[in-house]
Amino acid sequence: MLIEFYLTSRDGKSYSTNLAFTPPEYMRTGRISSESVIYSFGTLLLDLLSGKHIPPSHALDLIRGKNFSMLIDSNLEGHFSNDDGTELVRLASHCLQYEARERPNARSLVIALTPLQKETEMYQDGSSS
């Protein structure tokens, strides 16, 4: 069961989240920032890649040990290259840095993710008519 709660940033904006995605700085100070959202994105990205929730500290240990196979769901095999998978894990690890200032900003993430985007076929039979 996921417990949802609301975070309020210094500028008065409220964000809904659950404990699994809560950035460490909120647990320490009760404050969030734009970097906090990046942490939550990294957690979500790892959940999507692995098909399950892996606590961020455990995921970072696996990444440091270069044990990527435990982080990628076997059902995703063949859906992207090993290089793309490694890059996604690398991006997630940057997002999960304990110190908010060490995380990428949203613009950097978009720039890093753009080359990984693959065009989908618009026509089932491959024709363009």
Side-chain angles (χ1 to χ4, degrees):
M1 174 167 87
L2 294 176
I3 300 169
E4 189 171 310
F5 62 100
Y6 297 90
L7 308 174
T8 303
S9 66
R10 284 178 265 170
D11 61 3
K13 293 181 182 176
S14 291
Y15 300 92
S16 172
T17 190
N18 66 57
L19 224 40
F21 301 105
T22 304
E25 61 271 14
Y26 183 78
M27 302 303 274
R28 284 191 321 261
T29 67
R31 294 186 178 155
I32 61 167
S33 64
S34 57
E35 292 86 3
S36 303
V37 175
I38 300 299
Y39 182 90
S40 297
F41 174 79
T43 304
L44 179 62
L45 181 57
L46 275 178
D47 286 1
L48 291 171
L49 285 169
S50 67
K52 59 187 173 236
H53 180 69
I54 300 174
S57 60
H58 182 61
L60 289 172
D61 287 343
L62 292 171
I63 292 166
R64 283 185 205 107
K66 304 220 184 285
N67 200 349
F68 300 146
S69 63
M70 293 197 60
L71 292 171
I72 299 180
D73 187 340
S74 61
N75 292 318
L76 294 176
E77 280 184 32
H79 292 280
F80 53 83
S81 72
N82 286 339
D83 289 343
D84 287 352
T86 300
E87 180 63 13
L88 288 169
V89 169
R90 187 188 70 74
L91 284 172
S93 73
H94 286 296
C95 294
L96 294 175
Q97 294 304 303
Y98 187 78
E99 294 296 331
R101 69 180 176 276
E102 294 177 6
R103 298 179 203 140
N105 61 35
R107 185 174 206 201
S108 298
L109 274 179
V110 170
I111 290 168
L113 289 168
T114 299
L116 300 175
Q117 182 179 355
K118 305 292 183 209
E119 287 189 35
T120 58
E121 285 190 14
M122 295 181 66
Y123 304 99
Q124 288 181 321
D125 65 358
S127 67
S128 59
S129 53

